[in-house]
C-alpha cells in the first residue's frame, strides 16, 4: 500500500512539474524603462486659477517588470511591479485661492491673489493588474493600479500678489516680487501614502525582443489625505509614461 501511495505521489509530482514547465512557456516577461510626464492637478480648471505662467517636467523615470500571458485567443492579462517617480513644477496666477503660507516665521492663512509656484515630487511602488488584447504586434492594456508612496514633496512659494487673511475682506498682506524673500509653503506631510487609479496603454513590438510603449495613468484618489483642507480643490495625479521595453522571453 505504501509503495502504491509513493508511486502515485511521484507521478503527481512529475505531472505537476511538466504542467508548470508547459505553462511557463506561455508567459511573457517584460522589462520597461520609461519617462513620466504629467501633473498633480484638479479635474477641470477652477475659476481661482486664472493662468499658467510656466510648466516644467521633472526628471521622473519608471523602471518596470511585467508578466503577461494570453489566455483566450488574443485576450490576456498582465501584472507587474513598477518603481517610479512622478513630479512637476508649475508657476500659475491665481485669484482668491485658499492658501496657508510662512512669511519669515509668521503663519498666515486666507485667500491669495497673485503668482504661485508649486513643486511636486513623489517616489512610488506601483502594482498594476490589467486586461490585455493583442492585435498583431500591438498589445493594448487597461486596468487598475495601486501605488505605495515611499516619499513625497509638495512645496513652493508665492510672489507678486497679496493675501487677505481669513477671508476675502480680511487684512491685506502684500507679497514682494519674485526673488524678494518670498513666503513659502510645504504640504508634503499631508500627502497620501497610498494612491489608486486606472491605466490605459499600448505596446508596439518592434522585433522579437525590443518594443516601445505608452501608458496613461489616471489617479482616482486625491494626492492629499481627505482631512487636508488648505487647498480646496482635490488634486489628482495624471501622468503619461513613454518608454522602451525588452522582452526576456
Amino acid at each position: 500500500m505504501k509503495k502504491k501511495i509513493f508511486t502515485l505521489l511521484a507521478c503527481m509530482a512529475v505531472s505537476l512539474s511538466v504542467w508548470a514547465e508547459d505553462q511557463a512557456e506561455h508567459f511573457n516577461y517584460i522589462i520597461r524603462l520609461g519617462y513620466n510626464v504629467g501633473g498633480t492637478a484638479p479635474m477641470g480648471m477652477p475659476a481661482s486659477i486664472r493662468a499658467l505662467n510656466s510648466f516644467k517636467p521633472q526628471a521622473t523615470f519608471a523602471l518596470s517588470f511585467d508578466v503577461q500571458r494570453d489566455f483566450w485567443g488574443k485576450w490576456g492579462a498582465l501584472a507587474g511591479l513598477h518603481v517610479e517617480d512622478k513630479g512637476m513644477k508649475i508657476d500659475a496666477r491665481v485669484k482668491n485661492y485658499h492658501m496657508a503660507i510662512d512669511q519669515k516665521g509668521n503663519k498666515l492663512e486666507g485667500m491669495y491673489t497673485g503668482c504661485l509656484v508649486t513643486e511636486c515630487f513623489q517616489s512610488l511602488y506601483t502594482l498594476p493588474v490589467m486586461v490585455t488584447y493583442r492585435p498583431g504586434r500591438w498589445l493594448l492594456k487597461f486596468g487598475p493600479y495601486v501605488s505605495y508612496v515611499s516619499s513625497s514633496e509638495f512645496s513652493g512659494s508665492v510672489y507678486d500678489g497679496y493675501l487677505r487673511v481669513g477671508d476675502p475682506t480680511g487684512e491685506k498682506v502684500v507679497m514682494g516680487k519674485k526673488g524678494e524673500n518670498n513666503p513659502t509653503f510645504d504640504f508634503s506631510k499631508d500627502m497620501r501614502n497610498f494612491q489608486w487609479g486606472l491605466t490605459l496603454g499600448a505596446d508596439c513590438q518592434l522585433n522579437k525582443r525590443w518594443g516601445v510603449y505608452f501608458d496613461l495613468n489616471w489617479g482616482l484618489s486625491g494626492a492629499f489625505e481627505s482631512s487636508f483642507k488648505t487647498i480646496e480643490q482635490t488634486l489628482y495625479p495624471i501622468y503619461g509614461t513613454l518608454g522602451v521595453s525588452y522582452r526576456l522571453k
Side-chain angles (χ1 to χ4, degrees):
M1 185 63 178
K2 291 182 178 179
K3 185 176 181 180
K4 291 182 179 179
I5 293 175
F6 176 79
T7 302
L8 178 61
L9 291 175
C11 290
M12 290 177 61
V14 171
S15 299
L16 183 61
S17 176
V18 172
W19 178 85
E21 184 176 351
D22 178 67
Q23 294 301 306
E25 291 296 320
H26 300 287
F27 285 93
N28 301 307
Y29 303 98
I30 307 163
I31 295 176
R32 307 176 191 274
L33 178 63
Y35 184 72
N36 285 328
V37 178
T40 301
M43 295 288 192
M45 190 66 72
S48 56
I49 301 178
R50 295 306 178 93
L52 187 64
N53 298 328
S54 66
F55 171 81
K56 180 181 179 181
Q58 304 291 68
T60 50
F61 294 93
L63 179 63
S64 311
F65 176 73
D66 291 330
V67 179
Q68 188 274 336
R69 181 184 171 179
D70 297 330
F71 286 100
W72 313 282
K74 296 180 179 182
W75 291 92
L78 177 149
L81 173 63
H82 300 180
V83 181
E84 56 185 344
D85 295 327
K86 294 178 179 180
M88 65 167 191
K89 184 176 182 179
I90 63 169
D91 186 332
R93 177 163 288 278
V94 301
K95 184 175 182 179
N96 290 329
Y97 190 83
H98 190 263
M99 277 297 295
I101 60 174
D102 184 336
Q103 187 182 46
K104 299 180 180 179
N106 186 24
K107 307 293 183 180
L108 300 173
E109 184 170 353
M111 308 307 291
Y112 174 69
T113 297
C115 292
L116 174 76
V117 178
T118 303
E119 186 168 357
C120 178
F121 188 89
Q122 293 184 303
S123 295
L124 312 96
Y125 296 96
T126 299
L127 298 173
V129 178
M130 291 185 273
V131 174
T132 63
Y133 180 72
R134 188 186 300 277
R137 64 176 181 172
W138 290 88
L139 182 71
L140 308 181
K141 309 169 291 183
F142 177 75
Y145 71 83
V146 60
S147 297
Y148 169 70
V149 183
S150 59
S151 65
S152 58
E153 176 190 352
F154 194 97
S155 59
S157 61
V158 295
Y159 71 95
D160 195 16
Y162 60 89
L163 181 83
R164 291 284 187 178
V165 179
D167 57 55
T169 61
E171 178 189 355
K172 184 177 181 180
V173 181
V174 178
M175 311 299 162
K177 298 294 184 180
K178 193 172 185 178
E180 296 180 358
N181 296 317
N182 303 125
T184 62
F185 60 89
D186 190 341
F187 306 139
S188 303
K189 62 181 178 62
D190 298 298
M191 303 194 81
R192 287 182 182 271
N193 291 325
F194 288 93
Q195 298 177 359
W196 58 91
L198 294 173
T199 296
L200 175 66
D203 292 12
C204 181
Q205 202 67 32
L206 301 178
N207 55 41
K208 183 179 179 180
R209 298 293 184 185
W210 291 96
V212 294
Y213 76 99
F214 175 77
D215 291 341
L216 176 62
N217 305 294
W218 196 289
L220 299 180
S221 60
F224 290 96
E225 297 286 355
S226 57
S227 59
F228 179 70
K229 304 298 183 183
T230 302
I231 297 177
E232 297 175 344
Q233 300 85 12
T234 301
L235 304 183
Y236 298 93
I238 304 170
Y239 286 83
T241 308
L242 179 65
V244 297
S245 63
Y246 182 79
R247 183 172 171 175
L248 297 177
K249 68 176 296 297

